[in-house]
Amino acid sequence: MKQLFSMKKLVLLTIGIILIVTAVVLFYPSSTPSAEMGTSYDAAPSADTQPTKGEADAPVTITEFGDYKCPSCKAWDEEIFPQLEQEFIEEGDAQFVFINTPFHGEESELASLASESVWEHEPDAFWSFHEELFQQQPEVQSHDDPWVTPEKLVEVAETNDVPIDEERLASDINQQTYANRVQEDIALVEDYEVEVTPTIMVGNVKVDDPFDYEAIKELVEQQ
Ligand code: CA
């Protein structure tokens, strides 16, 4: 009789443990996702004056802090961005914002000045210019191999699908016409403690791993 009672207790205890483990497995991961996938800030970076793609009233903003000189940004633009574009930006669920993050010296600054000029004067030409600039980045390069020059930037504008006024672009690069815009970007880089490129934010959350598409997707869907 005593033996039977212990068996009963053992069975109940086992069922209890199974229930607790199941509950933890089912509910724990979805309760703290953003803490695991990124760092939260009070607000998303302001998109005022920044190049944007997608609908302005989309419920979520995806921001890239990027550098045309950075090999990882080229890889991100080729591997991750097309998926986000197809799944969320073209569907009107997210708007994409690009912020210049000139971490690699003078060449980064030249490319930033060019992109600000194109966005200011020919916003319809901006995204094809942006993509073409990443495509023109040499496949094998260290950060120190030079390839961005004012001439190269104008050449990229010439090969662009949408016409760009090349003389004005050359002048804007050489006169540093939009240096103030680049400075505004650098201020955001500091405000959001951006240390590597690319850094991706979904709304107000800075994503830990910009190449983790599933994490970005989950954050977009949550917001
Ligand atoms: Ca900018």
Side-chain angles (χ1 to χ4, degrees), residues 34-175:
S34 56
E36 288 173 1
M37 292 186 289
T39 308
S40 291
Y41 287 79
D42 291 341
S46 166
D48 290 349
T49 78
Q50 304 296 358
T52 58
K53 189 172 206 177
E55 291 177 23
D57 60 354
V60 187
T61 303
I62 301 169
T63 307
E64 176 186 2
F65 286 91
D67 182 346
Y68 296 104
K69 251 305 256 188
C70 138
S72 299
C73 298
K74 174 185 171 77
W76 193 87
D77 190 67
E78 290 171 359
E79 292 165 26
I80 305 295
F81 180 72
Q83 299 179 65
L84 283 174
E85 184 173 32
Q86 191 185 13
E87 196 165 0
F88 298 109
I89 300 164
E90 286 174 359
E91 296 299 315
D93 295 327
Q95 187 188 41
F96 184 70
V97 179
F98 182 80
I99 296 177
N100 282 303
T101 309
F103 277 174
H104 301 298
E106 191 189 347
E107 285 177 85
S108 298
E109 286 164 20
L110 288 173
S112 300
L113 288 166
S115 82
E116 297 293 347
S117 168
V118 173
W119 176 248
E120 176 68 23
H121 297 293
E122 285 123 342
D124 291 342
F126 180 85
W127 292 103
S128 56
F129 179 78
H130 170 95
E131 303 268 316
E132 184 62 30
L133 207 44
F134 278 126
Q135 277 171 28
Q136 291 285 324
Q137 187 188 108
E139 286 292 342
V140 180
Q141 65 144 346
S142 81
H143 290 139
D144 301 325
D145 292 337
W147 64 277
V148 180
T149 60
E151 295 74 26
K152 177 73 180 175
L153 292 161
V154 173
E155 185 192 309
V156 170
E158 281 169 8
T159 57
N160 198 53
D161 296 341
V162 187
I164 290 173
D165 182 335
E166 290 148 26
E167 265 179 41
R168 184 168 56 200
L169 177 60
S171 156
D172 283 349
I173 296 168
N174 293 321
Q175 304 294 318

Side-chain angles (χ1 to χ4, degrees), residues 33-39 205-209 214-215 218-219 222:
S34 56
E36 288 173 1
M37 292 186 289
T39 308
V205 179
K206 190 162 82 180
V207 180
D208 284 341
D209 177 1
E214 290 306 316
E218 200 173 325
L219 284 166
Q222 273 173 27

